Amino acid sequence: MRFSVVVFPGSNCDADAWHALDYLGHEVDYVWHGQQKLPATDCVVIPGGFSYGDYLRPGSIARFSPLMESLVDYANAGGLVLGICNGFQVLTETGLLPGALLQNQNLQFRCQWQWLKTENNATVFTAGLNNHLLRLPIAHGDGRFYLPTEELRQLEQEGRIVFRYCDEQGNVSPDSNPNGAEGNVAGIINKQGNVLGMMPHPERAVEALLGGTDGAQLFASLQRGWEGLR
Amino acid sequence: MKEVRVYIQLKQGILDPQGKAVSGALQQLGFPVNGARVGKEIVLEIEADTDQQALELAEEMCRKLLANPVVEDFRCTLGEG
């Protein structure tokens, strides 16, 4: 696959994403946020970090970068977009995904390995996952997903909650919630099913040397899903 | 030039952990505080002919960028400028 990794001023997982995708055998282009046009691509990754220093609100200023207009058009036309951590925040600010990501309930920056339960394994991103449970790193201070209760219920009914924080046994509970997210939500998808936002970092878990390979599983699943679309 | 002060706050009912921490600290210091909410104040220098125009522009800025309507309320008042 050919991936585009968006680079904003303040992105800091762009190189991680590039490395992970390259390591997994994909072609990868960095795309500077100041560009007007996305290059030809099979999937856009909006990486983690602190775009524009997280000033005002995480993702709020990145949303108005020149590239974003072309990215929104690409997403609306069905193009695959994966927003990781700050990338998820950018996607909610842009309105490609609903809700908002607020300061962690515990006021801590949580940097740890985290178990996730895949709630929807029928998406193009997750259909090829072998395991229901994934173990991925999280690293964020503003990851508390919020959506008013009614809208959250609707999201649930539509199968758009893709990942929830859980424990090693797959129990979704307040104890396994690292940031106070409503319903332990860790990742959601848009209505069309082509834009996924998630707080955990799959790109940091593609090599055993770095502590885990469940991220590689997710990218392999995405590749299979993408092949199915063609 | 008109000065407009913009106040942005999390909507009622949305947990404000910072406010909770502040309120807890104040209680520990012995103050009779039952709650605190922490928001933001942004002071804008706006090129506008009238107060009304300045306020309208500030509100438009809030809707477009300064506040997130999903989770935040905003209020604009004219400053000293």
Side-chain angles (χ1 to χ4, degrees):
Chain A
M1 281 177 80
R2 188 175 197 106
F3 283 84
S4 290
V5 174
V6 180
V7 184
F8 294 105
S11 294
N12 68 7
C13 299
D14 44 346
D16 304 53
W18 194 96
H19 169 79
L21 293 164
D22 176 65
Y23 177 82
L24 295 171
H26 299 293
E27 289 179 77
V28 199
D29 301 304
Y30 282 125
V31 183
W32 180 240
H33 77 110
Q35 276 178 231
Q36 301 283 348
K37 283 255 161 258
L38 266 179
T41 189
D42 299 319
C43 179
V44 175
V45 175
I46 310 180
F50 300 84
S51 56
Y52 292 89
D54 268 0
Y55 298 146
L56 198 61
R57 298 179 305 279
S60 64
I61 298 179
R63 163 194 169 194
F64 292 104
S65 279
L67 182 71
M68 288 309 287
E69 207 172 307
S70 155
L71 195 146
V72 169
D73 290 345
Y74 167 84
N76 287 336
L80 298 177
V81 180
L82 171 62
I84 300 167
C85 200
N86 187 229
F88 186 9
Q89 295 161 341
V90 172
L91 289 172
T92 58
E93 284 284 341
T94 309
L96 284 172
L97 291 175
L101 293 144
L102 298 172
Q103 188 174 37
N104 292 353
Q105 187 173 342
N106 47 39
L107 291 171
Q108 295 168 349
F109 186 97
R110 297 305 285 270
C111 185
Q112 66 194 48
W113 286 88
Q114 173 70 45
W115 286 96
L116 296 176
K117 186 174 180 188
T118 310
E119 292 282 344
N120 183 345
N121 57 5
T123 76
V124 63
F125 296 90
T126 54
L129 285 174
N130 300 324
N131 300 333
H132 237 52
L133 298 184
L134 295 175
R135 185 175 157 272
L136 294 177
I138 58 167
H140 59 250
D142 298 84
R144 174 168 50 114
F145 183 76
Y146 174 82
L147 198 61
T149 315
E150 257 320 294
E151 291 173 55
L152 189 70
R153 198 164 299 148
Q154 198 186 337
L155 207 67
E156 221 158 60
Q157 283 165 359
E158 292 171 356
R160 290 169 54 196
I161 295 171
V162 178
F163 299 115
R164 288 189 209 260
Y165 303 111
C166 67
D167 65 18
E168 201 169 345
Q169 281 76 41
N171 302 308
V172 175
S173 70
D175 286 342
S176 59
N177 189 337
N179 54 28
E182 295 285 341
N184 281 41
V185 170
I188 61 171
I189 198 160
N190 67 340
K191 220 171 207 156
Q192 261 183 289
N194 61 310
V195 178
L196 174 70
M198 61 191 294
M199 288 312 296
H201 287 272
E203 84 285 9
R204 292 192 190 178
V206 300
E207 293 168 79
L209 181 67
L210 298 179
T213 57
D214 286 2
Q217 242 202 82
L218 182 63
F219 286 113
S221 165
L222 166 57
Q223 182 171 5
R224 259 172 278 170
W226 170 78
E227 279 162 2
L229 288 178
R230 299 172 76 201
Chain B
M1 195 74 74
K2 303 283 182 190
E3 185 183 290
V4 175
R5 292 178 177 254
V6 175
Y7 302 91
I8 299 166
Q9 197 110 86
L10 280 177
K11 285 182 178 174
Q12 282 296 335
I14 295 183
L15 176 73
D16 171 16
Q18 233 185 128
K20 222 173 145 187
V22 168
S23 156
L26 288 171
Q27 284 165 3
Q28 253 184 5
L29 291 171
F31 288 106
V33 171
N34 285 324
R37 292 180 76 75
V38 177
K40 283 179 234 185
E41 181 188 14
I42 300 171
V43 182
L44 299 166
E45 307 278 339
I46 299 179
E47 278 183 47
D49 296 326
T50 65
D51 291 353
Q52 187 56 28
Q53 197 188 359
L55 280 173
E56 280 170 13
L57 277 168
E59 283 167 8
E60 193 186 332
M61 294 177 206
C62 286
R63 284 190 294 269
K64 184 147 194 202
L65 171 69
L66 299 178
N68 179 344
V70 179
V71 285
E72 291 172 329
D73 288 327
F74 63 85
R75 180 164 63 82
C76 303
T77 63
L78 279 169
E80 304 296 303

